[in-house]
Amino acid sequence: MEEPRIIYSLNAFPLINNRWQMGNKLKETVYMTALSILYSHLWYKDIELYADETAYNFLYMLPCRITKMDKEHNKELWMKSKIHAIEKQTKPFVHLDTDVFIKKKINFNFDSIILERKECGYEAHYKKQIDFFNQYTQNLPYWHPDLGLSYSCGILGFNDLTLRDKFINAYYDLEKIYTTNRKEFEPLKQQGFEPCIVIEQYNLASVLDYNNITPTLLLKGKNITEQSKYASEISYSHLFGIKKYKKDITEEIEYRLFKIFPYWYAQIKIELEKHQIIPKEETSSPTMLAS
């Protein structure tokens, strides 16, 4: 099987606009994205980043193709840039989130679709939201009112572009339902629920179930402990959620970028200074953390 192309997507708008209720996380995400891409560049030839103009300003020099995309002014649907990148593809591909790090080559062998892993926490994170969407999805033949599972899309790859098209159409169906009924969703939002995991991940699981397709999963295991163990074995890590913005993690990411890819780190830093994201006097090397 021919090696699929690797794609990334980054829209800076949610980062600048307090997407995680943690302030502006542009600098941290720029370093994280650069480290992810540069690790992948060690193993794969065909890599492309789809970036809005803000992200492009800091990452244009990376050794991969970089395509400018329009900015999405929506911090709730923060994965929309991924959808845009995915629908542009004309041959098999694997999309990596910008907080995914591949430290040893992984051969992405799969039939129609590959996903990161089976999601844990269906009852806690999905069920209430699915019940909300069930009110509006009677006309969607593929929608399952209570599938009982979902998948993480930290890695999302398609060999079957017809299946990709079905997913894209389903995404837009559910996005429209959400935007039309956003006000009614507000009480769930105030409880900390994020609609994107249903609009993207659960929706995709429903499409796969409807089409009788069993996805290839990168990380084997029935729970997070088993999945994490397997991830360590293949030198794969994914810093999902707000964990990636903890101070020790962001410092470790910056240090690794500085230590392993010093040339690219220096180039990115010049741009961050030029655009006044970091002050020019911040010239000391990043601190090494205990591993």
Side-chain angles (χ1 to χ4, degrees):
M1 178 182 151
E2 189 187 342
E3 184 177 280
R5 66 195 312 258
I6 304 294
I7 63 170
Y8 287 86
S9 55
L10 183 58
N11 175 32
F13 181 82
L15 309 169
I16 295 166
N17 289 277
N18 199 24
R19 138 102 179 90
W20 297 101
Q21 280 74 53
M22 298 172 80
N24 185 327
K25 292 296 174 190
L26 180 61
K27 176 191 86 167
E28 292 84 352
T29 308
V30 163
Y31 284 148
M32 189 184 307
T33 304
L35 184 62
S36 180
I37 290 172
L38 289 165
Y39 268 132
S40 291
H41 182 253
L42 296 174
W43 322 119
Y44 309 105
K45 294 186 196 77
D46 187 359
I47 302 174
E48 185 161 8
L49 166 65
Y50 294 83
D52 73 333
E53 189 164 8
T54 304
Y56 180 89
N57 287 337
F58 305 107
L59 296 166
Y60 68 86
M61 77 297 285
L62 289 180
C64 66
R65 278 194 309 288
I66 306 195
T67 299
K68 265 195 208 177
M69 293 201 327
D70 292 338
K71 180 175 287 195
E72 281 288 336
H73 294 272
N74 190 328
K75 67 176 183 178
E76 293 167 322
L77 301 175
W78 40 266
M79 73 305 186
K80 186 80 176 276
S81 60
K82 182 196 289 193
I83 299 300
H84 288 323
I86 283 172
E87 62 187 334
K88 287 181 189 298
Q89 303 312 303
T90 56
K91 59 185 230 180
F93 65 90
V94 173
H95 181 284
L96 304 186
D97 282 358
T98 59
D99 50 7
V100 159
F101 305 100
I102 296 174
K103 288 165 264 176
K104 207 160 69 181
K105 183 164 186 175
I106 293 168
N107 293 315
F108 294 110
N109 293 321
F110 59 100
D111 293 327
S112 53
I113 180 171
I114 187 169
L115 293 159
E116 184 183 272
R117 61 191 165 85
K118 190 175 172 184
E119 271 282 10
C120 307
Y122 177 81
E123 291 293 326
H125 301 300
Y126 291 86
K127 187 73 175 74
K128 268 194 180 178
Q129 295 194 67
I130 293 161
D131 290 344
F132 171 84
F133 281 102
N134 282 342
Q135 303 170 80
Y136 310 103
T137 47
Q138 292 86 349
N139 66 328
L140 305 180
Y142 55 83
W143 177 260
H144 196 298
D146 189 12
L147 191 56
L149 63 87
S150 186
Y151 301 104
S152 166
C153 296
I155 280 188
L156 171 57
F158 287 91
N159 262 328
D160 179 348
L161 297 184
T162 307
L163 179 62
R164 182 274 313 269
D165 294 343
K166 288 175 182 171
F167 166 56
I168 293 293
N169 292 335
Y171 170 85
Y172 285 118
D173 285 344
L174 221 61
E175 184 196 71
K176 187 177 180 187
I177 287 170
Y178 173 69
T179 51
T180 305
N181 302 284
R182 185 185 263 126
K183 205 171 169 195
E184 286 75 18
F185 189 88
E186 196 57 37
L188 284 171
K189 199 157 176 284
Q190 283 166 5
Q191 291 173 51
F193 287 103
E194 291 206 74
C196 55
I197 65 168
V198 173
I199 298 170
E200 180 192 16
Q201 298 182 170
Y202 181 79
N203 204 11
L204 175 55
S206 284
V207 168
L208 295 178
D209 179 70
Y210 181 74
N211 288 280
N212 294 313
I213 291 169
T214 303
T216 300
L217 299 181
L218 178 72
L219 301 182
K220 304 177 177 37
K222 296 187 287 292
N223 54 49
I224 201 83
T225 309
E226 290 179 13
Q227 291 165 355
S228 299
K229 186 172 178 289
Y230 187 72
S232 296
E233 285 172 19
I234 63 171
S235 296
Y236 173 88
S237 55
H238 180 192
L239 301 172
F240 47 87
I242 60 173
K243 174 187 172 185
K244 58 178 164 273
Y245 292 121
K246 288 184 177 170
K247 191 168 184 290
D248 60 334
I249 300 285
T250 58
E251 285 176 352
E252 178 69 17
I253 286 168
E254 185 178 353
Y255 179 73
R256 285 193 188 189
L257 190 59
F258 160 74
K259 194 72 182 166
I260 305 168
F261 305 105
Y263 172 79
W264 305 111
Y265 174 72
Q267 300 306 305
I268 292 165
K269 206 163 178 204
I270 287 165
E271 293 302 327
L272 288 168
E273 288 176 352
K274 191 166 90 183
H275 290 85
Q276 299 179 321
I277 306 299
I278 60 173
K280 278 206 168 146
E281 57 268 26
E282 212 179 273
T283 52
S284 58
S285 301
T287 313
M288 182 175 68
L289 296 177
S291 57

